[in-house]
Amino acid sequence: VGSEMCIRDRCKDALREFSLYQWDNSLRRDAPKKENDHAMDDIRYFVSTVLNGEEPGGVCALAVERK
């Protein structure tokens, strides 16, 4: 069964971080630089748990505006 995830245009932080996310080439393993990655961490958690079927039931994700 395939799963899809949609990033809406209102998810400004996620869209911004997609263009800023970088791999840390100074390491000898695949690892991202730990900067500009809060939304990416949220998405990785969502994909690895919810979309992988580890979290049963429906899913609702919300965001609040930062001030």
Side-chain angles (χ1 to χ4, degrees), residues 12-48:
K12 304 266 187 238
D13 286 332
L15 295 173
R16 179 183 57 81
E17 286 182 19
F18 276 120
S19 67
L20 299 173
Y21 201 69
Q22 296 179 1
W23 293 105
D24 190 342
N25 294 324
S26 68
L27 302 176
R28 294 185 180 188
R29 60 184 173 82
D30 284 341
K33 289 184 177 181
K34 292 306 293 171
E35 55 190 33
N36 301 306
D37 66 344
H38 296 298
M40 297 296 102
D41 286 344
D42 294 341
I43 292 169
R44 183 172 50 252
Y45 173 76
F46 177 78
V47 168
S48 67

Side-chain angles (χ1 to χ4, degrees), residues 2 8 59:
R8 303 294 298 200
V59 175

